[in-house]
Amino acid sequence: MVFQKRLDYGFNGYQVPRGCRSARGRSSLKRKLEDTQMGAFELLATVAGKLLQEREASPAHSNVSGGIGTTMQATVGKDNVKLEQRDEEKPLKVESCDQGSSGETSLVSKPNQNKCLDEFSHVVSDPASLMVNCDKSVNAEDRNEIVPETCIFNNMLELDTKPPALVSSDSSIGIHPSSGPFPGCRGNVKLVSRDDDDNSSGCTQPSTTPLKSSRTPPRLEDRKIKKVLESKYWEVAPKLEGELSNTNGYIKPISHNEKVFYTRQRSLRNTLKRRKLDKRAVSTSDGGVSSEVISNSSKNGKNGNTNSLFSTTHGGNGVSSSSAAGHESSSQSKDAHVKLSIKSFRVPELFIEIPETATVGSLKRSVMEAVAAIIGEGLHVGVLYQGKKIRDDSKTLLQTGICDDDKLDGLGFALEPNPTNGSHFSPKDPPYLVQSDVPQLLTRYPLSPGIDAGLSDASPDTPLTNLTNCVESDHDSVLSPTDMSIDKTMPDSRALVPHPSMSVDALAVVPLHRKSRRSDLVQRRIRRPFSVHEVEALVHAVEKLGTGRWRDVKLRAFDNAKHRTYVDLKADDKTDNYSVLEYINFVFWGSDKWKTLVHTARISPQQRRGEPVPQELLDRVLAAHAYWSQQQAKQQVKQLTGTCLLLKT
DNA sequence: CTTAGGG
DNA sequence: CCCTAAG
């Protein structure tokens, strides 16, 4: 049997909140999304945080986030924000081969197994939270149907805040040979595999969903989104007996009270921009460990598989959907079984780092091992109900109220690190260490506290920690002095670098930051601080030509200096709003000289760094800047009045 | 290719 | 210094 598993994002229909609709916000968002260094997940997570806050502020909105159990839908489309990926995504498929004892996986879409991993780095390093999702591509269609204006943020937020509870599965979803079923799992859930293309009934249909979304044709933008999202998927089609299959599953409602547990995973595929990254890493984004549950009220059998799981969620009102169908079932008592659809589980963060020289084959193996390791480590399922974690395993569903259909939406599951194994998620104790035949040792940077928190505490008690940490962690920095000089972005990188002092042939699979960096191959220009002489020339040229004709300025002042491009000289108005990073950056690199100069001229001498620029020059800078700014303003006024006149006549 | 901005 | 969207 072949499971099509997919690692999915942990988002659900989500529409960009107001605050994110500005042009600036969009372009920035876009940029970030396109930049593999920041995945949609993080971005949205950020937005999500705001959303949540808003929600809290005005309870009236609380129901907007209904539907638990949707697949993410990043609706950032519309307007200028086209989150399309530029390169045709090549479905990076990783499938496990049952032939051979190694359980090696193979990248299907890539013909050359020995290809340099560079090509995939952006894929694996993508931050998208590897949320295992059991949806099928077919459903993708449904997923696009987002009810406009509805902010649905199920997965992350909802889960974290609310939850659900209960999971069961007696089947062995075990991953690698050594791993067994999740501890604590019980119940009448059956684990089954099913065909890939089976579009499924399984995942489809929770009960009556008031959502009309499923009927509405997907909008264009949404498709784009879909594409984007899907582009990040990485298809995994494990054939091995137990590999990743349990990461995520669905419980499909069947006619009798039996649930089928599907597993499907989707993962990162080629992402947005093709980019060379220097490190490759496999990561599940946010260390989060949450899940969603969709209640199914198919007790009366007739609607057993009629509704789409996705549609419920989409509408974002899983709440209503469940309640609608819920009543009748709740009336039946006793032997009634509670039917749940676990839409997805988020797997804990997983990072893999392997040398560039490693083969694709070893990459696959590593990923496999990492997954196996993490699961084998002993994850357990946490049950959340109505926002509370249910710790007492002995309680019956009845007692906890979980059997109440119209409340099933308050049920949630979360994969959590095994309590007895907490240390595995500590920064000091690498969670997953995988041996590999790749002869290079990589050291890892400490896990950021944020990530840590996400891993070790994904409980509902800390709703946003995952998100915020996830985002914030991007700014954490642990840098290597070596890389620092090469790449300024290194600071927030958690990439592993080969550690010379260590030998061994171990391949560390550790939590590291998801972002990968630009390839070393694409080296940045070397830093060439402007000399006082150059500054003088620049100032002189600007005085003459003004700020705006940088090409001319360049020609005049640095005609024979080919390392000075006009871009390096341009001015900037917001010079006094530099962030620390920017400032340091500018000072360090001495670029965009005019921008820097203006800034420098405005700050106190003590704050200046680098080769001191004569005050006289700085004064000229300010003067010239002021003068030309004024000129520009005049120009604009002129133009404006001009157009006004034109309009009048 | 330039310009203009944002990072 | 880098990256890009617009012109």
Side-chain angles (χ1 to χ4, degrees):
Chain A
M1 223 126 212
V2 178
F3 295 0
Q4 242 304 347
K5 299 183 210 166
R6 309 198 220 179
L7 298 181
D8 212 342
Y9 290 98
F11 288 100
N12 276 324
Y14 170 77
Q15 181 149 50
V16 183
R18 262 155 234 227
C20 302
R21 288 180 179 163
S22 66
R24 173 89 201 261
R26 282 196 306 270
S27 73
S28 156
L29 184 64
K30 176 189 175 187
R31 213 172 304 127
K32 288 180 177 171
L33 280 176
E34 288 186 341
D35 185 309
T36 20
Q37 295 177 24
M38 177 174 224
F41 179 84
E42 287 170 86
L43 259 182
L44 292 177
T46 314
V47 177
K50 287 182 186 171
L51 227 189
L52 236 207
Q53 287 175 354
E54 275 178 28
R55 233 218 278 154
E56 273 170 9
S58 51
H61 293 115
S62 52
N63 60 344
V64 196
S65 57
I68 293 183
T70 322
T71 342
M72 161 195 202
Q73 189 71 207
T75 310
V76 196
K78 280 188 172 175
D79 304 320
N80 311 317
V81 197
K82 295 164 201 160
L83 302 176
E84 312 168 30
Q85 74 181 107
R86 306 205 165 167
D87 298 326
E88 208 356 56
E89 67 227 77
K90 300 192 175 162
L92 229 203
K93 277 195 172 180
V94 176
E95 43 177 69
S96 61
C97 316
D98 37 16
Q99 57 247 46
S101 48
S102 61
E104 171 181 316
T105 55
S106 57
L107 289 171
V108 176
S109 60
K110 297 281 180 175
N112 185 354
Q113 289 280 304
N114 294 313
K115 218 163 184 176
C116 187
L117 294 176
D118 249 69
E119 306 236 8
F120 305 94
S121 54
H122 56 301
V123 174
V124 286
S125 62
D126 192 277
S129 73
L130 298 183
M131 184 153 199
V132 189
N133 199 9
C134 63
D135 72 316
K136 352 178 114 233
S137 35
V138 183
N139 284 330
E141 220 40 0
D142 289 335
R143 305 216 255 126
N144 292 329
E145 297 155 14
I146 296 181
V147 175
E149 297 310 294
T150 321
C151 297
I152 309 163
F153 228 119
N154 317 325
N155 282 338
M156 322 256 21
L157 306 183
E158 213 42 77
L159 294 175
D160 290 343
T161 32
K162 284 193 172 177
L166 150 113
V167 157
S168 35
S169 89
D170 48 13
S171 51
S172 43
I173 346 178
I175 293 213
H176 252 297
S178 55
S179 54
F182 289 118
C185 286
R186 56 205 159 115
N188 54 352
V189 180
K190 205 184 211 166
L191 181 68
V192 260
S193 59
R194 69 172 183 195
D195 280 341
D196 225 25
D197 29 309
D198 147 57
N199 125 61
S200 328
S201 31
C203 310
T204 39
Q205 321 320 355
S207 41
T208 17
T209 306
L211 297 197
K212 286 61 190 168
S213 42
S214 49
R215 300 279 161 258
T216 24
R219 296 176 319 187
L220 251 189
E221 309 94 82
D222 292 330
R223 294 203 170 183
K224 281 179 182 174
I225 293 160
K226 165 192 167 189
K227 186 181 181 187
V228 174
L229 292 178
E230 299 214 338
S231 68
K232 296 206 162 194
Y233 295 153
W234 175 12
E235 309 275 344
V236 178
K239 294 173 187 166
L240 280 184
E241 221 168 314
E243 339 96 324
L244 317 161
S245 28
N246 49 352
T247 4
N248 162 42
Y250 268 144
I251 295 182
K252 165 188 176 179
I254 318 198
S255 37
H256 9 288
N257 311 312
E258 185 170 285
K259 294 171 187 169
V260 181
F261 192 79
Y262 291 118
T263 68
R264 239 174 204 235
Q265 265 184 142
R266 192 182 243 187
S267 70
L268 313 176
R269 207 185 263 167
N270 232 340
T271 13
L272 319 171
K273 226 170 193 165
R274 171 149 278 168
R275 217 172 220 203
K276 301 223 169 179
L277 304 177
D278 52 353
K279 302 288 174 184
R280 41 233 64 354
V282 172
S283 64
T284 65
S285 51
D286 54 86
V289 278
S290 55
S291 67
E292 296 182 50
V293 173
I294 288 192
S295 59
N296 232 315
S297 51
S298 50
K299 300 223 164 167
N300 38 6
K302 47 183 167 184
N303 49 4
N305 3 299
T306 24
N307 302 311
S308 153
L309 184 55
F310 291 111
S311 47
T312 9
T313 1
H314 290 165
N317 37 41
V319 178
S320 38
S321 70
S322 54
S323 53
H327 293 310
E328 0 180 350
S329 38
S330 55
S331 50
Q332 317 182 15
S333 44
K334 294 237 184 129
D335 274 319
H337 285 210
V338 178
K339 297 186 179 184
L340 307 166
S341 279
I342 295 179
K343 211 206 122 204
S344 52
F345 271 123
R346 236 171 50 223
V347 300
E349 194 147 60
L350 171 69
F351 292 99
I352 293 175
E353 181 80 17
I354 68 179
E356 301 184 0
T357 52
T359 61
V360 171
S362 63
L363 201 209
K364 296 175 199 163
R365 223 170 300 131
S366 300
V367 174
M368 221 45 176
E369 287 168 349
V371 174
I374 183 178
I375 294 178
E377 249 6 53
L379 283 176
H380 79 267
V381 175
V383 176
L384 309 163
Y385 188 54
Q386 312 267 292
K388 284 175 293 184
K389 215 173 188 170
I390 298 184
R391 295 165 205 266
D392 187 349
D393 288 355
S394 59
K395 272 189 180 174
T396 65
L397 297 186
L398 213 63
Q399 291 175 320
T400 43
I402 292 176
C403 52
D404 208 334
D405 269 3
D406 47 335
K407 283 181 186 167
L408 282 181
D409 49 282
L411 181 61
F413 300 93
L415 291 181
E416 302 170 340
N418 194 321
T420 61
N421 245 344
S423 62
H424 279 101
F425 293 89
S426 119
K428 292 168 192 158
D429 189 347
Y432 334 112
L433 196 55
V434 179
Q435 289 295 113
S436 123
D437 46 354
V438 180
Q440 182 159 18
L441 175 67
L442 298 155
T443 52
R444 86 188 164 94
Y445 285 107
L447 196 62
S448 78
I451 292 203
D452 223 8
L455 281 172
S456 54
D457 187 40
S459 71
D461 309 325
T462 54
L464 284 178
T465 45
N466 273 346
L467 294 175
T468 51
N469 283 328
C470 173
V471 175
E472 288 168 2
S473 56
D474 275 320
H475 305 300
D476 290 343
S477 60
V478 185
L479 40 145
S480 129
T482 10
D483 285 312
M484 168 98 138
S485 57
I486 298 173
D487 188 335
K488 76 179 182 193
T489 54
M490 246 341 251
D492 48 2
S493 164
R494 213 157 286 277
L496 301 186
V497 291
H499 194 302
S501 65
M502 300 168 97
S503 51
V504 201
D505 57 349
L507 173 65
V509 174
V510 299
L512 77 153
H513 205 64
R514 43 185 100 56
K515 292 183 174 182
S516 273
R517 295 302 149 201
R518 224 179 273 120
S519 167
D520 308 26
L521 300 177
V522 183
Q523 267 184 330
R524 49 193 311 148
R525 294 191 300 167
I526 53 174
R527 184 197 170 207
R528 283 165 161 155
F530 278 66
S531 63
V532 173
H533 185 74
E534 286 180 304
V535 171
E536 150 82 52
L538 172 61
V539 172
H540 188 260
V542 172
E543 284 173 337
K544 262 292 181 356
L545 307 170
T547 58
R549 298 164 60 191
W550 298 106
R551 182 174 163 279
D552 294 340
V553 171
K554 190 260 188 278
L555 259 36
R556 171 181 281 248
F558 307 96
D559 195 21
N560 46 11
K562 50 184 199 292
H563 62 281
R564 300 297 182 202
T565 71
Y566 44 79
V567 174
D568 293 333
L569 311 175
K570 72 169 187 313
D572 193 331
D573 272 318
K574 61 147 206 166
T575 27
D576 40 18
N577 282 320
Y578 291 142
S579 67
V580 176
L581 190 77
E582 285 172 317
Y583 177 71
I584 292 176
N585 205 25
F586 292 157
V587 172
F588 188 75
W589 294 102
S591 31
D592 281 33
K593 200 52 184 176
W594 189 257
K595 219 196 296 190
T596 314
L597 277 175
V598 175
H599 180 247
T600 305
R602 289 172 173 173
I603 61 178
S604 69
Q606 300 83 44
Q607 295 176 300
R608 299 172 191 162
R609 289 196 260 168
E611 186 175 7
V613 177
Q615 187 59 46
E616 177 262 336
L617 267 181
L618 293 178
D619 290 339
R620 287 170 62 190
V621 167
L622 287 181
H625 186 259
Y627 176 77
W628 288 106
S629 294
Q630 197 185 337
Q631 292 302 308
Q632 286 186 329
K634 283 182 183 173
Q635 275 297 318
Q636 286 180 2
V637 173
K638 237 182 229 171
Q639 284 179 358
L640 234 145
T641 54
T643 54
C644 281
L645 287 176
L646 265 176
L647 286 176
K648 280 183 182 176
T649 54

